[in-house]
Amino acid sequence: MIKVEWLYWLVGLVFVVMAVQMAADRSNPRRWTTAAFWGLLGLTFPYGTGVADATAKNGGWTLPAEPLGIAVLALIVLAGFNFLGKGVPVTGTGEEREAAAARLGSRIFIPALTIPLVAIVCASFLDTSGLFETGKATLIGLGVGCLVALVVGMLVTGERRLSVPLHSGRSMLEAMGAALLLPQLLAVLGSIFALAGVGTQVGRIVHDVLPDHSKYLAVIAYCVGMFLFTVIMGNAFAAFPVMTAAIGWPVLIQQMHGHPPAILAIGMLAGFSGTLCTPMAANYNIVPATLLELKDQYGPIKAQIPTALPLLVCSTTIMALFAF
C-alpha cells in the first residue's frame, strides 16, 4: 500500500536537494541562510511523521515534538529577518528557451495537463483498489501525477538531465520565498481559532447584536464576516470554521432552517471574494506578481477589487433569496 506520508517524504527530499543546490550557488549572496531555510523545512517532513506517530501512540517512531518547534522558530527567524536570497539557476540561456518555446508550441502544456489527468484516474479508479492508503487516493494521485508530468516534460522537451528541472524548480522556489508557506500557516491559524473558541465568541456577540429572527441581517453578517475574516486570514478555508461555528450553523441553519448545502457553499463563495482583496493570500495575489516581475506588487489586488465587491453582494443576495 502506497501511503500519503511517502509523498510528504518525497517533497521533503526535493527541498533538501534544492537546498544543496542553493548552498553551491555562489551567485546568491545569502546562499547559506537560504539553503538552511529550505533544507530545514525539508527535514521537518520526515521528522514530522515521527512526531505524529508518537502522538498517536500507534507503535511508530517516538520522536519528541520540541525539536520540530525549534525548527519552526528558526524558519521564522530566517524568513522574518530577510535572510533569504536568490541565485542564478542553470537552465540555459534566454535564447535557448525562446527557441525551445517556438519549437514546442502548444505541446509545452502537455506536462501540465498530465497532472490533473493522473490525479482524476487515481481518484476515480484506484481509490478502492488497495494500492493506495484508504481515503488518500486523490492526494497520492496528485503526487504521482507530478512525477509522471516530470517524465513527460523531459520527453516532450528532449531534456535528459534531471538537474535542469530541479534547478528550474529551485529558481521558482527562491522567487516565491517564504510566501510559499503562508497558505499552510493560515490554514493552521484557522484551526487554532476554531479550537480556541473564536467562533463561539463571535456567535455570542452576533446573538447579542442582531435582532431576533432577522434573517436578512444574519445573512449579511455571515457573508460579510466570511469576507472580512478571509481578508484578515488570507484563506477562506481558515475563515470558514470560525464564521460557520458563529453564525452559519447555529443561526442560519438550526435556528432559521436554512438549506445546509446552499448556506455553506454560498458562504464559501463570499469568503473567496475576500481572497481577491488581501495580500495575506500571498500564493494567489503576491507570488504571481513577484514571478511576473510586475512593477506594482499589489496590482492584481487592485484589478480584482471591482470584481470581488459585486461578487460579495451577489452572494449575499442569492443566499437571502434562495437558501431558505
Side-chain angles (χ1 to χ4, degrees), residues 6-18:
W6 299 356
L7 173 61
Y8 298 150
W9 296 348
L10 179 60
V11 173
L13 177 61
V14 171
F15 281 139
V16 171
V17 171
M18 290 184 177

PDB file of all heavy atoms in Angstrom, residues 6-18:
ATOM      1  N   TRP A   6       4.570   8.909   2.311  1.00  0.00           N
ATOM      2  CA  TRP A   6       5.674   8.767   1.371  1.00  0.00           C
ATOM      3  C   TRP A   6       5.749   9.972   0.444  1.00  0.00           C
ATOM      4  O   TRP A   6       6.840  10.396   0.053  1.00  0.00           O
ATOM      5  CB  TRP A   6       5.517   7.479   0.561  1.00  0.00           C
ATOM      6  CG  TRP A   6       5.522   6.239   1.395  1.00  0.00           C
ATOM      7  CD1 TRP A   6       5.724   6.158   2.748  1.00  0.00           C
ATOM      8  CD2 TRP A   6       5.313   4.900   0.956  1.00  0.00           C
ATOM      9  NE1 TRP A   6       5.646   4.847   3.176  1.00  0.00           N
ATOM     10  CE2 TRP A   6       5.400   4.050   2.101  1.00  0.00           C
ATOM     11  CE3 TRP A   6       5.054   4.319  -0.270  1.00  0.00           C
ATOM     12  CZ2 TRP A   6       5.231   2.675   2.021  1.00  0.00           C
ATOM     13  CZ3 TRP A   6       4.890   2.935  -0.355  1.00  0.00           C
ATOM     14  CH2 TRP A   6       4.980   2.129   0.790  1.00  0.00           C
ATOM     15  N   LEU A   7       4.594  10.500   0.087  1.00  0.00           N
ATOM     16  CA  LEU A   7       4.554  11.700  -0.737  1.00  0.00           C
ATOM     17  C   LEU A   7       5.171  12.879  -0.001  1.00  0.00           C
ATOM     18  O   LEU A   7       5.953  13.648  -0.577  1.00  0.00           O
ATOM     19  CB  LEU A   7       3.104  12.010  -1.132  1.00  0.00           C
ATOM     20  CG  LEU A   7       2.857  13.324  -1.870  1.00  0.00           C
ATOM     21  CD1 LEU A   7       3.621  13.352  -3.190  1.00  0.00           C
ATOM     22  CD2 LEU A   7       1.363  13.522  -2.119  1.00  0.00           C
ATOM     23  N   TYR A   8       4.856  13.005   1.297  1.00  0.00           N
ATOM     24  CA  TYR A   8       5.433  14.086   2.089  1.00  0.00           C
ATOM     25  C   TYR A   8       6.947  13.935   2.184  1.00  0.00           C
ATOM     26  O   TYR A   8       7.687  14.929   2.117  1.00  0.00           O
ATOM     27  CB  TYR A   8       4.821  14.098   3.492  1.00  0.00           C
ATOM     28  CG  TYR A   8       3.332  14.347   3.509  1.00  0.00           C
ATOM     29  CD1 TYR A   8       2.523  13.806   4.504  1.00  0.00           C
ATOM     30  CD2 TYR A   8       2.721  15.117   2.530  1.00  0.00           C
ATOM     31  CE1 TYR A   8       1.161  14.031   4.537  1.00  0.00           C
ATOM     32  CE2 TYR A   8       1.352  15.347   2.547  1.00  0.00           C
ATOM     33  CZ  TYR A   8       0.575  14.801   3.548  1.00  0.00           C
ATOM     34  OH  TYR A   8      -0.770  15.022   3.565  1.00  0.00           O
ATOM     35  N   TRP A   9       7.417  12.705   2.346  1.00  0.00           N
ATOM     36  CA  TRP A   9       8.862  12.488   2.413  1.00  0.00           C
ATOM     37  C   TRP A   9       9.530  12.899   1.097  1.00  0.00           C
ATOM     38  O   TRP A   9      10.630  13.456   1.100  1.00  0.00           O
ATOM     39  CB  TRP A   9       9.160  11.022   2.707  1.00  0.00           C
ATOM     40  CG  TRP A   9       8.667  10.554   4.040  1.00  0.00           C
ATOM     41  CD1 TRP A   9       8.199  11.325   5.069  1.00  0.00           C
ATOM     42  CD2 TRP A   9       8.583   9.200   4.491  1.00  0.00           C
ATOM     43  NE1 TRP A   9       7.827  10.539   6.120  1.00  0.00           N
ATOM     44  CE2 TRP A   9       8.039   9.233   5.812  1.00  0.00           C
ATOM     45  CE3 TRP A   9       8.893   7.970   3.934  1.00  0.00           C
ATOM     46  CZ2 TRP A   9       7.827   8.075   6.557  1.00  0.00           C
ATOM     47  CZ3 TRP A   9       8.679   6.811   4.665  1.00  0.00           C
ATOM     48  CH2 TRP A   9       8.150   6.874   5.969  1.00  0.00           C
ATOM     49  N   LEU A  10       8.877  12.584  -0.003  1.00  0.00           N
ATOM     50  CA  LEU A  10       9.433  12.952  -1.312  1.00  0.00           C
ATOM     51  C   LEU A  10       9.520  14.469  -1.456  1.00  0.00           C
ATOM     52  O   LEU A  10      10.521  15.001  -1.955  1.00  0.00           O
ATOM     53  CB  LEU A  10       8.584  12.358  -2.427  1.00  0.00           C
ATOM     54  CG  LEU A  10       9.034  12.685  -3.860  1.00  0.00           C
ATOM     55  CD1 LEU A  10      10.444  12.166  -4.106  1.00  0.00           C
ATOM     56  CD2 LEU A  10       8.056  12.104  -4.884  1.00  0.00           C
ATOM     57  N   VAL A  11       8.484  15.173  -1.002  1.00  0.00           N
ATOM     58  CA  VAL A  11       8.510  16.635  -1.040  1.00  0.00           C
ATOM     59  C   VAL A  11       9.667  17.165  -0.190  1.00  0.00           C
ATOM     60  O   VAL A  11      10.412  18.068  -0.606  1.00  0.00           O
ATOM     61  CB  VAL A  11       7.171  17.209  -0.538  1.00  0.00           C
ATOM     62  CG1 VAL A  11       7.253  18.721  -0.403  1.00  0.00           C
ATOM     63  CG2 VAL A  11       6.041  16.833  -1.493  1.00  0.00           C
ATOM     64  N   GLY A  12       9.837  16.586   0.994  1.00  0.00           N
ATOM     65  CA  GLY A  12      10.947  16.990   1.845  1.00  0.00           C
ATOM     66  C   GLY A  12      12.291  16.734   1.192  1.00  0.00           C
ATOM     67  O   GLY A  12      13.213  17.558   1.288  1.00  0.00           O
ATOM     68  N   LEU A  13      12.415  15.596   0.504  1.00  0.00           N
ATOM     69  CA  LEU A  13      13.669  15.275  -0.182  1.00  0.00           C
ATOM     70  C   LEU A  13      13.969  16.286  -1.279  1.00  0.00           C
ATOM     71  O   LEU A  13      15.125  16.703  -1.463  1.00  0.00           O
ATOM     72  CB  LEU A  13      13.597  13.862  -0.769  1.00  0.00           C
ATOM     73  CG  LEU A  13      14.805  13.399  -1.590  1.00  0.00           C
ATOM     74  CD1 LEU A  13      16.057  13.379  -0.723  1.00  0.00           C
ATOM     75  CD2 LEU A  13      14.541  12.020  -2.209  1.00  0.00           C
ATOM     76  N   VAL A  14      12.940  16.698  -2.006  1.00  0.00           N
ATOM     77  CA  VAL A  14      13.129  17.701  -3.059  1.00  0.00           C
ATOM     78  C   VAL A  14      13.637  19.007  -2.454  1.00  0.00           C
ATOM     79  O   VAL A  14      14.554  19.638  -2.993  1.00  0.00           O
ATOM     80  CB  VAL A  14      11.813  17.926  -3.827  1.00  0.00           C
ATOM     81  CG1 VAL A  14      11.938  19.121  -4.770  1.00  0.00           C
ATOM     82  CG2 VAL A  14      11.442  16.683  -4.621  1.00  0.00           C
ATOM     83  N   PHE A  15      13.073  19.421  -1.323  1.00  0.00           N
ATOM     84  CA  PHE A  15      13.536  20.638  -0.660  1.00  0.00           C
ATOM     85  C   PHE A  15      15.006  20.507  -0.249  1.00  0.00           C
ATOM     86  O   PHE A  15      15.801  21.452  -0.404  1.00  0.00           O
ATOM     87  CB  PHE A  15      12.695  20.934   0.579  1.00  0.00           C
ATOM     88  CG  PHE A  15      11.368  21.567   0.273  1.00  0.00           C
ATOM     89  CD1 PHE A  15      10.221  21.184   0.957  1.00  0.00           C
ATOM     90  CD2 PHE A  15      11.255  22.558  -0.684  1.00  0.00           C
ATOM     91  CE1 PHE A  15       8.998  21.766   0.685  1.00  0.00           C
ATOM     92  CE2 PHE A  15      10.038  23.146  -0.971  1.00  0.00           C
ATOM     93  CZ  PHE A  15       8.905  22.760  -0.283  1.00  0.00           C
ATOM     94  N   VAL A  16      15.384  19.345   0.269  1.00  0.00           N
ATOM     95  CA  VAL A  16      16.764  19.144   0.709  1.00  0.00           C
ATOM     96  C   VAL A  16      17.717  19.185  -0.479  1.00  0.00           C
ATOM     97  O   VAL A  16      18.791  19.815  -0.416  1.00  0.00           O
ATOM     98  CB  VAL A  16      16.896  17.807   1.463  1.00  0.00           C
ATOM     99  CG1 VAL A  16      18.359  17.479   1.728  1.00  0.00           C
ATOM    100  CG2 VAL A  16      16.131  17.863   2.785  1.00  0.00           C
ATOM    101  N   VAL A  17      17.350  18.534  -1.578  1.00  0.00           N
ATOM    102  CA  VAL A  17      18.200  18.548  -2.774  1.00  0.00           C
ATOM    103  C   VAL A  17      18.369  19.967  -3.298  1.00  0.00           C
ATOM    104  O   VAL A  17      19.470  20.399  -3.661  1.00  0.00           O
ATOM    105  CB  VAL A  17      17.606  17.635  -3.861  1.00  0.00           C
ATOM    106  CG1 VAL A  17      18.353  17.804  -5.181  1.00  0.00           C
ATOM    107  CG2 VAL A  17      17.657  16.178  -3.418  1.00  0.00           C
ATOM    108  N   MET A  18      17.267  20.717  -3.333  1.00  0.00           N
ATOM    109  CA  MET A  18      17.352  22.102  -3.804  1.00  0.00           C
ATOM    110  C   MET A  18      18.168  22.956  -2.836  1.00  0.00           C
ATOM    111  O   MET A  18      18.850  23.894  -3.253  1.00  0.00           O
ATOM    112  CB  MET A  18      15.955  22.676  -3.981  1.00  0.00           C
ATOM    113  CG  MET A  18      15.193  22.077  -5.146  1.00  0.00           C
ATOM    114  SD  MET A  18      13.575  22.850  -5.397  1.00  0.00           S
ATOM    115  CE  MET A  18      13.026  21.967  -6.878  1.00  0.00           C
TER     116      MET A  18
END
